[in-house]
Amino acid sequence: MLDVGSLTVALPMGGRLVPVLSGVSLALARGESVGLVGESGSGKSMTALAIMGLLPPGARVAGRIMFDGADLLAADEAQMCALRGRRIAMVFQEPMTALNPLQTIGAQVAEPLRVHERMSRRSAAARAGELLARVGLAPPRATPDLYPHQLSGGQRQRVVIAMALACGPDLLIADEPTTALDVTVQAQVLDLIAGLAADSGMALLLITHDLGVVSQTVDRMLVMYAGRVVEQGPTAEVFAHMAHPYTRALLAASPNEAGGLPAPISGQVPDPAHRPLGCAFAPRCARAERDCTRAPPSLVGGGAHRVACLHPHVAP
Amino acid sequence: MSDPPLLEVGGLVREYALPRPHPFAAAPRLRVLHGIDLKVEAGEGVGIVGESGSGKSTLARAVLALEPPQAGSVRLRGMDLFALSRRELRAARRHVQAVFQDPYGSLDPRQRVGRIVAEPIAALEPGTGRAERRRRVADMLRDVGLPQAEGKYPHEFSGGQRQRIAIARALVTRPALVVADEPVSALDVSVQAQVLTLMADLQARLGLAWLFISHDLGVVRSITARVVVLYRGRVVEEGPTRAVFAAPAHPYTRALVAAVPRVGRVRAPTSLPAEAAPPGAGCPYSVRCPRAAPRCRAEAPVLTRANGRGVACHFPG
C-alpha cells in the first residue's frame, strides 16, 4: 500500500544542500506494522515527514513515494490535504502541542470528520464521542466537553490517537507516541494502537528509539543510521541474529534487565554536512576495516533480513 | 554513637493549596507527600521511582530545601535544613546540588560555560580566590570529559554534552549529595549510556551520593544500589535495587516492572486501569490493584521492614 523507493532528501543548510536521507526504501502492506529505529539525526522522523509531504521549504526530494498507486511526490498541496488526516494520519510525541488548548477534546476529534467527511455538527459530535470511548475516554471519567489541560499526559495522547483514527485512516504514522509517557501508560497506549491496527487492517509505521517497544509492537523493523537503512527484517529475526554492529551497539546502550551500566557507543552521530565518505558508522565501529571508508555499503541479504555492512556479525 | 546518615528525611508531608471554589471558602488542600521516610548514606546511589503524580519531584524539591514541608524534617548530616538560618542554609547548600532533566533550559544561553560552572562557587563559597575558582572549574570540566570548554557557549554543545556541563556545575562545590531529577530522560540511548557511565564513575571517584529520580526503571536499575518506589506520595516498597526488580513484593512495583518493554519478550496485556480517585481510608493502590481485598479498602497498610527490604501491602509476595 505504501511503497517508498530510493528516497533521497537534501535540505538547505548554511547555503548548500545537505543530504539527510540517502536511498531509503520501505514497503508497507495493509494491516502490517513496521518500526523505524535509530538515534536523533538518523533520519527516521524525516522519512515520516517526507511521506506526509511536510518537509521544510527548500527541501530537494528524489526517489519514489507511492501510496495506494498514487504518486505522493507529484501530488500538489490540495491533494495532500485530502489525504492527510483522512487516509494517512500521524501521532506525534508531545500531545500538548498537538492539541488546541482553547477547544474541547470532543470538538477537536470532530474536526477531521467535519472537514474530510463533511459530517453535520451533530453527527460529528456523536461520532467523536464514540471514538473517545474507543480509546478509553468514556463518561463518567472523561467527557467530550473537557479541555486538554484537564487531562493527564496519557489521556491527551489518547485524544490525539482518537483524532488520528477519526476518519479510519489506511496508514497511521506514530512518531515516538509514548516517549513522554510513564511506563504503565506507555503500555496502555501501545496496546491501544496495536489493537486498533489489528482490528481495522490499518497499517502502522512506528518511529521510536526504544528497542523494547519495537520488539513488542511491530512485525518488521528498519534500523536507520545517518540517513540510511543499515539493517532491516522481521523483528524477531533481527533481534535473534543482529548483523549490523550499530544494531548491536544500540541494544548494548539500552538499559537492560541484567542491571549494570549500559555500554555507551563511542563518538557521536556525524553531522549531516560532514558525513564520512564510506560507511557512516565506521568511525565509531570496532569492526571497521580499511574497506569501510571507501563507499557506503548497500543492503544485502538473501531473504527478508538484510544488512548494509561489509563485516557483519552474522551474514543474514 | 555512630555518625548520622548523610541524608535523613523523616515523616515528610507536603501539601499544596488548590484554587478556592468561591472567594470566601477555605482553599482546599492537596496532600502530595504523606509522611515520607528516606535515608541516604554517604557514597550511596538511591533511586526514587514512580509515575507522574507520585510526588518524586516534590520530594526532590524538599531535599534541596527549595520548599518547606508542612510536617517532617530533612536532615543533612544531622542538621535540620528547615531549622537553619538563611546564612547556615546557604553554607549547607554547598553539600547538596541538583541536576535537572532539561539540558537546554537549565543553562543560561548568554553565559560562557566557564562562568556557568563557576557560579555555585561564587554564590556559595564567596571567599574563594579567582585563581582557585578557575582551577576548580577547569578540573571539573576535565572530569566530565569536556576539557577547555570554558570559553564556549551552551549552544555549541549537544544535549549530552550540556548535561555534562550541568553535572560539572553541580559538582564544582564538591557536594556530598547530588539530587538528579530525570537527568537522562531527554537524551538518546547511546548518549544516555555515556552520561550514566560518567555519573557512576564520579560516584566511585569522588565518593558522591546520588538521589536519582526517574520514571525509567531501566535507568534506575543501572545506576543505583537501592530503590524506593513511590505511589501517590507514599513509599510502597524499598530495598536493594536488584532484589526489588527481580522479585517485587508490592503489586504496584510488579505492574511497573512488567510494563517496561523488553526485547524478545511479549508484553503482558496491561492490567493497570487508568488513574481513579483514591479511597479515603484504605490503601491508595487498592483501586487499581488486582489483589485488593475488603481489608485493603478499609485500612491503609504501613511500611514494614525486614532484611533490608520494606513493603507497604497487606498481601505482599
Side-chain angles (χ1 to χ4, degrees):
Chain A
M1 180 181 55
L2 176 72
D3 173 24
V4 176
S6 312
L7 179 67
T8 296
V9 173
L11 296 180
M13 281 181 213
R16 63 194 192 94
L17 279 170
V18 171
V20 289
L21 291 181
S22 314
V24 172
S25 296
L26 106 102
L28 203 59
R30 208 169 286 280
E32 197 183 19
S33 57
V34 167
L36 279 184
V37 204
E39 292 172 273
S40 320
S42 62
K44 49 194 200 308
S45 294
M46 206 52 79
T47 307
L49 292 177
I51 296 168
M52 295 291 281
L54 294 174
L55 288 171
R60 205 170 60 192
V61 188
R64 165 180 93 238
I65 303 178
M66 305 292 283
F67 177 74
D68 237 3
D71 183 352
L72 296 193
L73 288 179
D76 60 23
E77 184 56 21
Q79 288 167 313
M80 284 309 293
C81 277
L83 281 179
R84 262 185 238 131
R86 187 153 70 129
R87 303 207 46 210
I88 309 178
M90 196 153 177
V91 174
F92 295 97
Q93 174 174 352
E94 182 39 68
M96 202 52 205
T97 51
L99 293 173
N100 181 346
L102 300 178
Q103 246 189 342
T104 64
I105 59 172
Q108 295 188 58
V109 176
E111 184 179 309
L113 298 167
R114 304 260 298 144
V115 172
H116 290 298
E117 314 279 322
R118 311 217 172 274
M119 275 192 189
S120 73
R121 196 173 289 270
R122 178 176 296 191
S123 50
R127 181 91 184 93
E130 288 167 30
L131 285 159
L132 285 169
R134 204 162 135 210
V135 297
L137 292 175
R141 268 230 316 280
T143 57
D145 52 8
L146 290 176
Y147 288 89
H149 74 267
Q150 294 169 301
L151 305 176
S152 69
Q155 290 174 325
R156 285 179 201 148
Q157 196 59 292
R158 288 160 188 265
V159 175
V160 175
I161 292 169
M163 284 165 71
L165 299 176
C167 300
D170 299 309
L171 170 63
L172 176 68
I173 302 177
D175 191 351
E176 305 273 8
T178 59
T179 305
L181 305 177
D182 281 324
V183 276
T184 48
V185 182
Q186 162 170 292
Q188 290 166 3
V189 170
L190 289 174
D191 283 352
L192 174 67
I193 292 178
L196 292 167
D199 293 349
S200 63
M202 172 180 80
L204 171 67
L205 183 61
L206 178 74
I207 297 171
T208 177
H209 68 272
D210 188 328
L211 290 175
V213 168
V214 168
S215 163
Q216 295 185 342
T217 316
V218 297
D219 309 328
R220 279 196 302 127
M221 65 188 278
L222 289 84
V223 182
M224 292 187 74
Y225 186 76
R228 290 174 191 274
V229 177
V230 296
E231 182 160 7
Q232 67 178 56
T235 309
E237 208 174 311
V238 171
F239 281 115
H241 311 285
M242 280 184 283
H244 201 286
Y246 178 64
T247 314
R248 295 203 171 202
L250 208 53
L251 183 67
S254 311
N256 53 55
E257 211 169 328
L261 282 170
I265 310 177
S266 61
Q268 284 177 35
V269 179
D271 168 6
H274 303 100
R275 279 181 187 155
L277 202 60
C279 170
F281 189 60
R284 306 172 76 183
C285 182
R287 296 170 74 88
E289 290 178 33
R290 192 180 285 164
D291 52 353
C292 296
T293 57
R294 280 183 209 135
S298 40
L299 280 170
V300 292
H305 185 189
R306 293 157 74 84
V307 62
C309 178
L310 297 175
H311 308 285
H313 285 273
V314 285
Chain B
M1 217 181 95
S2 62
D3 285 345
L6 175 62
L7 174 76
E8 187 170 24
V9 172
L12 198 72
V13 172
R14 175 76 185 136
E15 291 177 342
Y16 289 107
L18 296 176
R20 292 163 198 273
H22 66 87
F24 303 108
R29 304 187 74 81
L30 177 69
R31 186 165 281 207
V32 183
L33 297 178
H34 299 253
I36 300 282
D37 297 320
L38 173 73
K39 240 185 238 177
V40 180
E41 300 288 350
E44 196 184 19
V46 175
I48 307 278
V49 297
E51 294 166 287
S52 330
S54 61
K56 311 188 288 292
S57 297
T58 305
L59 178 60
R61 284 198 295 275
V63 170
L64 292 164
L66 298 175
E67 288 175 6
Q70 270 71 25
S73 63
V74 175
R75 289 173 190 278
L76 192 71
R77 294 194 177 119
M79 282 183 305
D80 186 344
L81 291 185
F82 295 104
L84 299 178
S85 70
R86 279 174 78 149
R87 195 161 155 184
E88 291 166 327
L89 182 60
R90 181 174 275 243
R93 281 229 160 98
R94 267 177 60 188
H95 305 296
V96 192
Q97 288 287 310
V99 176
F100 294 104
Q101 173 171 4
D102 180 7
Y104 297 88
S106 60
L107 304 177
D108 185 338
R110 286 177 301 184
Q111 286 190 1
R112 292 180 200 269
V113 168
R115 188 150 163 217
I116 291 173
V117 174
E119 197 179 342
I121 305 183
L124 303 174
E125 300 174 74
T128 313
R130 202 160 147 192
E132 197 205 328
R133 195 155 78 197
R134 238 190 233 157
R135 186 182 53 74
R136 273 167 61 185
V137 168
D139 287 354
M140 205 60 246
L141 285 170
R142 202 195 49 231
D143 279 355
V144 301
L146 295 171
Q148 273 118 47
E150 289 96 327
K152 296 188 182 169
Y153 288 95
H155 74 257
E156 297 175 63
F157 295 93
S158 67
Q161 290 172 327
R162 282 182 223 211
Q163 206 58 312
R164 287 162 186 268
I165 295 169
I167 290 172
R169 174 176 59 182
L171 297 187
V172 79
T173 59
R174 304 186 193 115
L177 173 69
V178 179
V179 178
D181 192 353
E182 304 276 7
V184 297
S185 303
L187 308 175
D188 260 327
V189 278
S190 67
V191 182
Q192 196 176 67
Q194 290 169 9
V195 173
L196 289 173
T197 305
L198 170 69
M199 291 174 78
D201 173 50
L202 292 168
Q203 181 186 2
R205 220 143 37 93
L206 308 176
L208 274 181
W210 289 101
L211 188 61
F212 197 104
I213 294 170
S214 182
H215 72 278
D216 188 329
L217 303 191
V219 165
V220 168
R221 172 153 39 196
S222 68
I223 186 123
T224 65
R226 221 153 49 77
V227 67
V228 173
V229 183
L230 286 190
Y231 184 73
R232 284 190 181 269
R234 289 179 176 85
V235 175
V236 295
E237 183 161 7
E238 62 177 35
T241 308
R242 261 166 213 251
V244 168
F245 287 161
H250 198 283
Y252 176 62
T253 316
R254 184 164 317 142
L256 274 183
V257 171
V260 176
R262 286 185 201 117
V263 169
R265 179 178 293 191
V266 179
R267 187 175 52 246
T270 42
S271 57
L272 280 184
E275 55 284 18
C283 168
Y285 190 61
S286 61
V287 276
R288 292 165 83 178
C289 184
R291 296 196 199 178
R295 184 179 170 202
C296 303
R297 289 181 203 94
E299 178 195 343
V302 290
L303 189 74
T304 45
R305 295 187 174 87
N307 306 325
R309 290 189 61 171
V311 61
C313 180
H314 291 308
F315 306 100

